[in-house]
Structures are given as C-alpha cells and as structure tokens.
Amino acid sequence: MLILIETPAGFALFQVANTKALNKIDNIYDYLQNEKQAKKLVTPFAFQQFKDTQEALVATSKLINGKIPKKLSKFLEKNVISQEVQDQIAVQDKKLAKQLQEQLGLNCIQTPVTEQLFRGIRSQLTNLIEGLSESELKNMTLGLAHGLSRYKLKFSTEKVDTMIIQAIALLDDLDKEINNYMMRLREWFGWHFPELGKIITDNLIYAKVVKAIGMRIKTSSTDLSGILPENLEADVKQAAEVSFGTEITKEDEKFILCLADQVIELTDYRSQLSEYLKNRMQAIAPNLTTMVGELVGARLISHAGSLVNLAKYPASTIQILGAEKALFKAIRTKHNTPKYGLIFQASLVGSAPAKLKGKVSRTLAAKTALCIRYDALGEGQDAEFGVTNKSFLEKRVHQLEEGVNYRDVKAPQRGKAKPVQSQTQYQEEADFQPQGATWMQKFQKGEDKRQASQDIVQRTQQKKVKQQ
Amino acid sequence: MGREFSGGRGDTRGGRGGDRGRGAPRGRGAPRGGRGGRFGGAPKAFVVPHPRLAGVFVAKGQQEALVTKNMVPGESVYNEKRISVEDKQTGEKVEYRVWNPFRSKIAAGVIGGVSDIFIKPGAKVLYLGAASGTTVSHVSDIIGSEGVVYAVEFSHRSGRDLVNMAKKRTNIVPIIADARKPLEYRMLVGMVDVVFADVAQPDQARIVGLNSQYFLKKGGHFMISIKANCIDSTNRAEVVFQHEVQRLKDEGLTPQEQLTLEPYERDHAIVIGVYNV
C-alpha cells in the first residue's frame, strides 16, 4: 500500500511493505512514535521537492480548489503508473481521491487505519524524509503560508500604501539633503568664485554652471547657453574676469565637481520620485487625490500609518491631523482649538479668503473623509466620487464667498411655522391602508359586523327565495 | 488594567496623537507604538513569572497586570501598553506587553484561575478563529521562537491584519481558510500540542473534533471558548455549557476543566481537556 502525503516541501509517497503487520498493530500512532519502528513499517518510496515557493504555491492552490496540480500528476505518473505499481494509494482528501481515480485511473483508499497512519507520519515527517530538517520545513511552511494568504486575500501590488508612506518620507529627507549639499557647494565654490553665488539664485542652475566651468579661468571658453539665459551668461563671464576669489588646485576642483554632480543627480531623482508618488497616489487613492491633491493626501496617509487607519478616523480628526500639539494644548488650557492641520496645505483651503478658511477646512474634511473611506474600503477604482464631491465643495466655497448661509436658504418664514407640503408628503391614514381595507381595519370600525349582518340578511333572503 | 483609555480633556500623556504628531512621519509601526512607556503612571513596576504558568508573567506596581514577554521589542500590536524592565544581573532591557483580559479569552481564563493552559514555551498550537491576531500575538510571545502557532481565520478583513502581524513574528503561520474544512490546510499544519478554538459557531464542537482528528497529537490538549448565546440563545448558559461538554465527549475530547469568564465576559465559559484516541 502506498501513502500520498502533501508537504510544504513537496509531494511524498511512502510504502507500507507489510500490510498484514499493519493490521496487527493496536495503536498505529504510538507505534510510529518510535523512530526505528516507524522507518521499518513505513519506507519512503518517492519524494518530489518543490523548487521554490512559487512552485509550491501554484501546486497548493490547485489542490485547495479540488484539482490535480501538474506536479502531482507527473509525480504519480513517473513513480506509480510507469513503474506499474499495482498498490493502492492512501489519500487523505476524498475529493482528491475521486479525481485521481477518474483522471489517472489510480486505486485510492481511505480507511480509519490510513487516517491513523497519516497522523503518525505527519508527526514523524522530518525523520522519515531524508534531507529535510525541522528548520527547513518550517521555513518552507512559512513561505507557502504567506504566499497562499496573499493569493486568497487577492493581494494586489498596486494597492500597497507602504510605498506612499516611504516615498513621502524619502521626499522630505531628500529635500533636506539637497538643501544641505547646495549650501555646502555654494560656500565651497564661493571661496573660488564668490560673485557667481550672487548672480545665480537658483540652486540647480548654480550646480550645473559649476559643473560646466570647473575653474574660473575656463569660464570665458565654456558655452553656458544651454544652462543660462544670455544676459546672465554675459554677467557670469564678466564677473569671472574681475573676480577676487582665491585660486584652487586641480584636485580641489575635482572634488567640487563631484559634489556638484551629486546635487544634480539628487535633484533629478527627487523630481522622478515626485512623479512616482503622483502615479502611486492616483492608483491607490484616486478620490483622495482629486479632493486634496497628491502631496497632502500622501501626508495624511503617512500620518495615520495606513490608508485603512485613515479611513477609521472621523472627519473632525482629519480636519486637525497634524496639529496635535496645538490641539491638546488648547484643550488643556481651555482655549480655542486649531481649525486646520495638514488640510491647510490643500489648494481649496489655500485659495479661500482668510475668514473662510475655517469653514472651508471643515467642509473639505467632511467630504474628504467620505472619499478616503470609499478608496480604502470600497471596491471601485474610479475617481468619480471624488470629482462630484470636489464640485460640491467648489460650489460651497462660492456660496460662502457670497455670504449665503444654509439657514437663510432653507428656513421657513419666521413666526409662521408652516410645514412644507409636498406631493410625496406622508398623510396620516391614507398611506397606511392598502387598496382595500383589511378585515382588521373593518373590525376596528365595526364595519365587519355590519358586513356580516348584511351577509346574513342576504343569505336569508336567498334562502327565502329558494324556498319559494 | 482599568486605566487603558486615558485620552480626552486634561490628560496629555495618553492622548491619541501624543507622539505621532511630532516630527516626521514614521510609517506603519509607529502610530501603534506611540503610547508605550511607563505603566499606569507608577514610578517603577517589576515583573515576576506567573506562579503556575511558564511563559506568562505578572507585573506588580500600582496595579497588577498580566503580561507576556514581547517577541518584537518596541512595537505594540493593538496599541496595548508596554512595560520595559531592566534585568539587574545582565543589565539587559526586557519588554513586556500587557495582556488585556477583556479582549482575550485566554487572559480572562488565566486571571480567573485556570490550572493550566498548556501553551508554554516551545509548544505547537493550532488556533482556530484568530481574528485580527490580538490574542495570537500573546500566544506567540509565550511559545517563543521554538514554538509554532498556526492561526486559522476565515474573514478577509481580519486576515489582512493577521498576515501583517505574522510578517514580524516568524512563529505565526497565517492560514486564511474555513476551520470547518481542515483538509484544505493540511499541507500547512503539522501535528500540534494544543488546539485553541474561539470560533463562536453553533457546530464548534464538531469543528474542534475534526481538527483534532487530523492535527492534535495523542495526549494533546484542547481549549475551547464557548459563547452560550451563539450555541443556543433560548436556554440558560449553564444548560448550554452542559450540552456542549457532552458534544465534546462524543467527539473523543475529554473535558477536564470548565471555568466561566465572569467578570470579563457574560455567559462565556472556557473548557480545557485532553485528547485521547
């Protein structure tokens, strides 16, 4: 009898040579606990190891869905069918047994004895399979489990918000670093050519110019038309002639140029990173991006820790995320709490007049909370919801600017509280009654008795007619 | 332990945003870990091992609390409080996480006075009904790096949290599957020493029996949390527990100890026993 066992390391076939001895054993599980006895009773017949986690994942996911993976069918073909082994195969899963019987014509069995065998073998797996240690098996199990979980949860690499959090943190870091390096470059090169710093204000252009000219002497011979506009180029060339900076050696120049290279590279990388962040934000949270923009959206997600965490916050929290220090201080000293946190950087709040920033921030936070929840927990991938909300907000800002309040728009006349009558207004009794009044309603009105008495009168009249 | 929530007016330290708001964003782990630090405001808390249970500790200070040794120092799994204690002999800093009996049935059982939970360092545990992994993380702390806990959870939402937590703790094997069909995860699970079930299903006795049949070693132990309302909401809790115990016996599971989880849960009981086939 053969035994088929599926492990995270691969497929294994064991052979029970002596089935008669097997039936004589009282407690198979206990018997198999002894390593020597186990090896005598159950001998490894064949073992097909998975090459990597990917292979294991494909095979296992097929098994779970009740189908035979290719690996398994090849394994069985090679070891059982082509070798013309006539033994029965013990399989743990009934469905799999049926499939094997139908597709490969193998004779599969399942009895309480085989169940006990499976238990015993499962506890002795590392002892029975050569070359498989506990730690190896554990690693493969972990790999397979995580892979399977991701497969089941339909883990999409597109929707990972860790990328956003890391990217925005890196963006801030890069900004600081680039600024540092730029200041250093200006100071260092300013030792040699101080006037250049005063002429060129933009950092990136300064670095490019430094890279192009190297030493002050070469300025007149270098072509700066690609980097500078004509008038600045003329200024630079003139300043180079009459500069009072000190001379530097070739080696100094080499290192300064290296620094300038670094700055240019980093600035380039930063702009690429910014593009990447925009794309990722659009993919992960399109509605949030539409409402507040990529940077503010990314900062909100990063502050909360994840998109799902952000979705759990109420709108009032989203309004003051980022101003916690001011918030708790105000609460403690019983002052006014801040009106906006990170949301202040959103374009809608920025473009509103100063007096309305508070109101706009509140409305924006409310609608943004909805958009965030739609992105985090909803199934759709579109930005329509965000677009609708944004247009509502723009209308609202417009309304606020014109001094319109909700109270004035919808309030009825003061003093004469008249309820608004509409066609769909619910009217007391008529709405509750179905087409024809029910028995219950008739009973309550005493109508059924009248009806009953009328029925009786009718029937007696009919009887009289019949009798006559 | 009643001092879990200390946000709101007048209290600065416990505030939700206290640590998070300052400085650069620190990514996933940070917001959860923000509220750590001194336990209960006491000047010094010291930690002693639990008198009966290996791997479980008790923190004594202003208030007593059940704690487990944190396998991932510096991080909170579900915003629970952490206690850092310096070992006088070696000078090492050891971190412990507070185990809340209101949120975890096993903690409620331990504080209620159960004689043994059988989850000890090096044990292999099959945990059915893992949810987001709050209790699973404590089980993982107890069993240490030598043990393994196979956490089975069917819900996708909770499963996501479970898998994320399992990424940091290598002794947790996350399994997103129906506990009613143990054959679907037979290639991931080896033989285990303890089966813990907190599935809240009316047929949970059958589920535990089926899983034990495939995965629980002979002489292994099981621990089941029974919610009376879930099994049968018409009968009284004691009657429901009696019926459940009978059903467990029919599955081949021998109950040895039963304990109600008052005052932490209403109409809940925990049944511990041994599996002898």
Side-chain angles (χ1 to χ4, degrees), chain A residues 96-109:
Chain A
L96 183 66
K98 223 170 126 182
Q99 288 275 317
L100 285 175
Q101 213 141 12
E102 284 172 17
Q103 287 191 19
L104 296 171
L106 294 164
N107 197 348
C108 301
I109 55 161

Side-chain angles (χ1 to χ4, degrees), chain A residues 248-261:
Chain A
I248 51 171
T249 63
K250 276 242 168 227
E251 218 184 320
D252 299 332
E253 180 199 351
K254 194 172 74 166
F255 277 96
I256 295 178
L257 284 180
C258 221
L259 178 58
D261 275 335

Side-chain angles (χ1 to χ4, degrees), chain B residues 92-157:
Chain B
E92 266 180 52
K93 278 223 162 197
V94 185
E95 199 179 62
Y96 297 93
R97 284 164 53 230
V98 174
W99 203 357
N100 185 354
F102 286 95
R103 284 184 76 158
S104 169
K105 310 272 186 342
I106 306 183
V110 169
I111 294 183
V114 76
S115 61
D116 197 352
I117 54 173
F118 303 105
I119 298 175
K120 50 168 87 89
K124 298 195 172 38
V125 182
L126 175 63
Y127 195 117
L128 304 172
S132 299
T134 51
T135 309
V136 177
S137 68
H138 285 285
V139 172
S140 150
D141 282 344
I142 296 176
I143 61 180
S145 43
E146 289 300 312
V148 186
V149 52
Y150 302 95
V152 179
E153 171 57 38
F154 192 37
S155 144
H156 284 209
R157 285 272 157 79

Side-chain angles (χ1 to χ4, degrees), chain A residues 63 134 222 338 425 440:
Chain A
L63 266 176
E134 280 262 0
T222 42
Q425 182 72 11
M440 196 63 195

